[in-house]
Amino acid sequence: EGEEIFIDYGPEWEDAWNQHVANWKPPSDVYADYTPISFMNNRAPLRTKSELVDNPYPENVMTACLYWELDDYLHHPDNYDGEFKFKEWEDEELLDTFSVPGHHFRVGSVKVLDETWWPCKVYREEERGFFSVRIFQKPSESNTRWTRRGIPRFVRSLPRKSIKFIHRMESSDQFMPGTFRHYVGMPDGLFPEAWRNLAHED
């Protein structure tokens, strides 16, 4: 306990790193406003749909909500037959028709490994610390019934802890132009001869 391990990446790695530092320039274009997700989750407030019009998040940032399909709401709403043009509705009517209650989706209500975070957008704050959000189909999950029906899914009174900031797909810092990459060198004497299955035979 308390011991430190120092790893020598080798002279080639160090030379490449020093050259990278000397020549690095801040990103531009779509990465000009890149913001670390840790900063967003620690300090940034949530913005509602209307607030995002004039004050959008940085290009690399989106929101995700704790959500999973519940058997009781697989066919919700049962009385919607698709004849109504919900895209023309006001928010209140959308929420009244297509929302499921948010008390199901609380951090800690299921095991961490069972938590699933879906793309979402905050519509409004219902009361302090609770929000109405629209859930969007998660690309890695099978299409839900509401996706196949072509109707939206909202969650009402979702706790703030059940909403977080995440990177948009392929927008984290590892995808930025000029990101440093170099293999880690290992000296020949680091491993015993018996471990080297590519050693030349005499």
Side-chain angles (χ1 to χ4, degrees), residues 92-140:
E92 189 63 34
E93 191 171 7
L94 286 169
L95 292 168
D96 285 344
T97 304
F98 298 110
S99 289
V100 299
H103 68 269
H104 299 286
F105 313 109
R106 293 178 179 270
V107 173
S109 59
V110 295
K111 295 179 180 179
V112 173
L113 293 179
D114 292 330
E115 291 182 353
T116 54
W117 295 86
W118 290 54
C120 66
K121 177 181 287 187
V122 174
Y123 264 55
R124 68 187 188 193
E125 188 169 11
E126 296 289 347
E127 54 183 298
R128 186 172 179 81
F130 293 87
F131 298 83
S132 287
V133 304
R134 179 174 178 179
I135 304 293
F136 296 94
Q137 174 68 50
K138 187 175 183 179
S140 60

Side-chain angles (χ1 to χ4, degrees), residues 2 7-8 16 28 30 32 35 50 57 62 65 71 76 84-85 87-88 107 109 118 142 150 169 171 186-187 189:
I7 301 176
D8 184 356
S28 57
V30 297
T35 303
S50 59
Y57 295 128
M62 61 180 289
C65 295
D71 290 342
H76 179 77
F84 304 104
K85 298 180 180 179
K87 294 181 180 179
E88 301 173 1
V107 173
S109 59
W118 290 54
S142 300
M169 189 174 294
S171 70
M186 294 184 179

Side-chain angles (χ1 to χ4, degrees), residues 154-172:
F154 289 89
V155 175
R156 208 161 198 166
S157 296
L158 187 68
R160 173 63 182 88
K161 289 184 178 180
S162 298
I163 308 170
K164 67 179 180 179
F165 294 103
I166 63 172
H167 283 291
R168 292 189 182 277
M169 189 174 294
E170 298 186 358
S171 70
S172 64

